[in-house]
Amino acid sequence: MSLTSHLEELRRKHQSLSQEVEMAQRAPATSDFEIAQMKKRKLMLKEEITRLSPH
């Protein structure tokens, strides 16, 4: 897998997780802990994207 395709996949995952977080925040059945875990995964993806992106 090339770096470009890897970065694209990470960006897709980040965007998907963003949508999941938004939906979870609107759903009363979702706990704050679950939302925090999703946000943490989202941040880890963002950090990896930043680390791998050419500056």
Side-chain angles (χ1 to χ4, degrees):
M1 178 183 286
S2 72
L3 179 60
T4 303
S5 62
H6 183 62
L7 281 169
E8 287 174 9
E9 180 63 24
L10 290 173
R11 287 184 181 113
R12 276 193 295 274
K13 287 180 182 180
H14 184 267
Q15 180 60 36
S16 175
L17 203 47
S18 289
Q19 292 170 348
E20 281 185 54
V21 168
E22 285 182 34
M23 289 174 46
Q25 288 175 325
R26 293 186 200 128
T30 308
S31 73
D32 290 342
F33 177 76
E34 290 173 296
I35 293 171
Q37 291 297 103
M38 285 189 277
K39 286 183 175 183
K40 187 182 276 189
R41 287 196 313 267
K42 184 179 160 190
L43 179 59
M44 289 173 63
L45 285 170
K46 183 66 173 177
E47 288 172 346
E48 187 172 358
I49 290 167
T50 300
R51 184 176 59 81
L52 294 174
S53 293
H55 298 337

